[in-house]
Amino acid sequence: MNGSPLLAEIAEALEPHGILLRGVAAFEAGEGPLLADGTCARTVVLLGNVGGSIWPHFSSWREGYGGPNPLDTWSKSLILPLSRAWGVTAYFPSDPPYQPFQRWAVRAEPLTPSPLGILLHPRYGLWHGYRGALGFPFELEQTATTESSITELADWPTWLAACPVRAVRTDGFDVTACRAYLASDAGRATCMVDGCAVRNRCRIGAQYRYPPEQLRFHMEALF
């Protein structure tokens, strides 16, 4: 993503760790989320992964970490120092007051909601995520995205049929049924190893599919 020199600085600081600029959401005065000083942000810069971009860096760091919530802790260890250095506010999906990351993302990029709860990206499909965001009290110059919407390409009936227990439907995601299957012998031999069957069936962005170790990490977290 091109734009202001500040965006380039953020990218330069985080890209070596696999955390990328995922979009910029602009807000009118008084419309954005609260900053630490009680005023409202004019710009929110979304930060996250594309495919397995974070995995080599996170997994190496994780070898020396034995505490809870490793992915959140690692993300904060990289993003919080930047927010302090620039005197801006950091937001994280795991922290209350919970921020509307998905609404911000849809504002920043042409994303489509999916029954899995993961936003469908026109290039990356379901293989991306958001690790945090930075809120600024001023507008940041940015280059508009050239991605186009892929709503018409989403073949959800075919993809949803891949779920062995029909836990993912057009009207929602039955997490209880999913977890029960993951606990079964069949679930441990399939989705716990290879990742969500519905996510795997989606053909958009298949080249960005997470590596096997990352798939297992996320399935264990869901379980």
Side-chain angles (χ1 to χ4, degrees), residues 65-86:
Y65 178 76
N69 306 313
L71 186 53
D72 291 336
T73 302
W74 175 77
S75 302
K76 291 175 183 178
S77 75
L78 296 170
I79 297 171
L80 279 173
L82 293 181
S83 71
R84 294 171 184 142
W86 287 318

Side-chain angles (χ1 to χ4, degrees), residues 20 22 47-54 102 105-106 109-112 114 117-131 150 199 204-205 208-210 214 218:
L20 310 177
R22 291 298 321 279
L47 307 167
N49 64 287
V50 168
S53 63
I54 63 171
Q102 291 207 340
V106 169
E109 294 186 277
L111 298 157
T112 303
S114 81
I118 304 169
L119 292 170
L120 185 64
H121 189 279
R123 178 181 302 175
Y124 311 126
L126 299 171
W127 305 108
H128 65 102
Y130 299 95
R131 301 309 321 149
I150 39 69
R199 200 175 190 181
I204 299 170
Y208 294 98
R209 185 175 185 269
Y210 292 164
Q214 187 173 355
H218 289 296

Side-chain angles (χ1 to χ4, degrees), residues 23-29 31-33 41-46 103-109 136 138-142:
V24 177
F27 299 90
E28 298 296 331
E31 181 189 14
R42 293 297 304 273
T43 306
V44 169
V45 178
L46 292 154
R103 290 208 299 271
W104 293 347
V106 169
R107 195 179 189 117
E109 294 186 277
F136 294 83
F138 47 81
E139 296 180 37
L140 286 175
E141 180 185 352
Q142 56 181 303

Side-chain angles (χ1 to χ4, degrees), residues 139-213:
E139 296 180 37
L140 286 175
E141 180 185 352
Q142 56 181 303
T143 301
T145 179
T146 58
E147 302 283 4
S148 58
S149 173
I150 39 69
T151 305
E152 67 279 3
L153 299 179
D155 186 12
W156 286 115
T158 299
W159 301 344
L160 297 182
C163 180
V165 291
R166 300 296 188 266
V168 191
R169 303 182 298 270
T170 54
D171 62 346
F173 181 19
D174 187 342
V175 178
T176 301
C178 174
R179 287 176 173 161
Y181 178 72
L182 295 178
S184 70
D185 290 342
R188 286 194 293 270
T190 55
C191 295
M192 286 296 289
V193 175
D194 301 321
C196 171
V198 173
R199 200 175 190 181
N200 287 332
R201 182 68 63 89
C202 172
R203 61 187 176 86
I204 299 170
Q207 67 271 35
Y208 294 98
R209 185 175 185 269
Y210 292 164
E213 298 83 2

